[in-house]
Amino acid sequence: MRKTLLSLVVAGSLVAVTPPAHAATWFGPGIASPIDNAMGPGPAPRPAATADVDSDGRADLVSVGDFTAGDIRVSLGDGTGRFAAATEVAGTAQTQGLDLGDLTGDGRADIVAMTTSEARILKGDGAGGFTQIGAYPLTLGGQVQPLVVDVDGDGDLDVVAPTFTAVQSLVNGGAGSFTAGPTTQVPGAGALSAIAVARLDPGSTPDLFAIDGMTGTAFALTGNGDGGFTVRGSLYATSFVPEDIAAIDLNGDGYDDAAVVGSFSFSLATGLTDGTGRFTSPVPQSSQFGGPGPTSAAVADFDEDGREDLVVSSLADPTAGTLTVLAGNGTPGMQKIGTFSTAAFPQNPVLADYDQDGDTDIAVVSPGTITVLPNTTP
């Protein structure tokens, strides 16, 4: 869905937010590491993920290769915010989206790598190597995005992914062997762009947000405990090609709210939920400029004030890539902290303590470069 970006004049009123004076203290200058991935990881909502894949206590990166044409790249972190030369996982070309987790129950990070037609399960050896142990059919969606999450509460990590009009699941039977789970139809959806794991009600089963790239509608789905979901509510988020959705507790009530980025509308829209899996309004409580061509979002409490913050990556800056950081302040609008430079064309931001100082940093993979923004919040 995202292949090129247009220069647009956005109609309507967007909220202007002035950054606070201490904005520059949130993140230091980017730390760049080269990566043999000249075309970058490509257009999926999650073409990169982070975990300690070599068991050395340091955060590593796994990314899609050469805009889906190449094999998956594994970049091992050195604990300073830099990465060693990437190695390739043979036989993983055509991967468009991926996620990491212990799918086999051995305490080591594994990969679920999704193509346009199947999810491949790659078992990690704890030393940065991976071997495929299974492949399962999954239907193509508006974009390709597998997520690792325990949907049935049995302690094993399962897989969920969007199709054009539904959310489907693969249920883990243990040790990384999967069976097809329920498929949940999302009425009114035309091409689901992305999903996000959320907490929407008091139940213990994970819930989901989903965003439809055709209608601009966000959907809230509560988990049924068997891999299926029930659609509870909808929010008209944006009019033009939303590409990602994030779950973030904006008002501190313990339940996640939705943040939707619209690449071609250059917008960031947020909507509150009510603790039952429903939105409090059919339209966003806040809509503001999301950066030049925003594509992906991630959530963490960067300044450790007890409120979740948001980072949004953008592709359309003519000179370099940018990440926009907004601080949670108890309102749907949040507070813009600042815009931080990366290498050109950054994909989805991934979050971990890459320099081992105890704070959550931001990493992003671009064509030929990994950029880490070190967290320097006071």
Side-chain angles (χ1 to χ4, degrees):
M1 190 174 288
R2 177 198 335 130
K3 298 299 181 183
T4 59
L5 291 170
L6 304 177
S7 296
L8 299 175
V9 176
V10 182
S13 98
L14 297 176
V15 177
V17 182
T18 302
H22 66 285
T25 66
W26 272 54
F27 293 94
I31 302 169
S33 299
I35 180 173
D36 181 16
N37 195 354
M39 297 178 66
R46 299 291 179 272
T50 190
D52 177 10
V53 302
D54 62 348
S55 309
D56 67 352
R58 300 165 179 168
D60 309 307
L61 277 175
V62 177
S63 56
V64 170
D66 285 330
F67 214 80
T68 77
D71 288 327
I72 288 173
R73 273 34 172 208
V74 178
S75 303
L76 301 181
D78 69 0
T80 71
R82 296 173 176 82
F83 296 86
T87 59
E88 298 184 19
V89 182
T92 57
Q94 308 308 315
T95 297
Q96 294 205 4
L98 55 78
D99 201 4
L100 300 177
D102 181 10
L103 300 169
T104 56
D106 63 359
R108 299 166 176 171
D110 308 305
I111 303 173
V112 54
M114 190 172 169
T115 71
T116 58
S117 61
E118 66 180 8
R120 302 167 177 170
I121 307 302
L122 307 173
K123 180 179 173 62
D125 63 7
F130 296 89
T131 303
Q132 182 171 318
I133 60 172
Y136 303 89
L138 281 177
T139 304
L140 176 66
Q143 295 190 106
V144 176
Q145 185 197 13
L147 286 183
V148 171
V149 60
D150 182 6
V151 295
D152 55 4
D154 65 353
D156 298 319
L157 291 175
D158 311 298
V159 177
V160 293
T163 73
F164 279 102
T165 61
V167 174
Q168 58 187 330
S169 63
L170 292 174
V171 177
N172 193 342
S177 176
F178 292 82
T179 57
T183 296
T184 303
Q185 292 294 325
V186 181
L192 292 178
S193 298
I195 57 176
V197 178
R199 182 173 187 263
L200 300 178
D201 64 17
S204 60
T205 303
D207 310 308
L208 294 177
F209 285 126
I211 183 66
D212 183 36
M214 291 187 67
T215 65
T217 302
F219 298 93
L221 300 86
T222 55
N224 298 337
D226 61 354
F229 299 85
T230 299
V231 179
R232 297 293 184 187
S234 61
L235 169 78
Y236 180 69
T238 182
S239 61
F240 201 22
V241 194
E243 292 199 67
D244 201 11
I245 188 166
I248 179 172
D249 184 0
L250 293 170
N251 57 359
D253 65 355
Y255 299 106
D256 285 320
D257 309 299
V260 177
V261 291
S263 292
F264 291 87
S265 60
F266 289 20
S267 64
L268 168 64
T270 58
L272 300 178
T273 63
D274 65 1
T276 71
R278 296 169 175 83
F279 291 102
T280 60
S281 169
V283 296
Q285 274 85 5
S286 174
S287 182
Q288 57 186 281
F289 182 64
T295 59
S296 299
V299 174
D301 181 4
F302 292 117
D303 60 347
E304 298 182 352
D305 67 348
R307 294 172 173 167
E308 292 184 319
D309 310 309
L310 188 72
V311 54
V312 179
S313 61
S314 299
L315 288 175
D317 190 297
T319 58
T322 58
L323 298 178
T324 299
V325 177
L326 299 101
N329 61 359
T331 74
M334 297 174 281
Q335 182 180 24
K336 183 176 178 180
I337 291 300
T339 299
F340 301 87
S341 296
T342 71
F345 305 111
Q347 299 297 319
N348 67 297
V350 286
L351 311 179
D353 182 9
Y354 293 104
D355 57 8
Q356 297 192 303
D357 65 352
D359 299 318
T360 301
D361 309 307
I362 305 171
V364 66
V365 183
S366 302
T369 305
I370 300 171
T371 305
V372 170
L373 293 179
N375 187 332
T376 57
T377 53

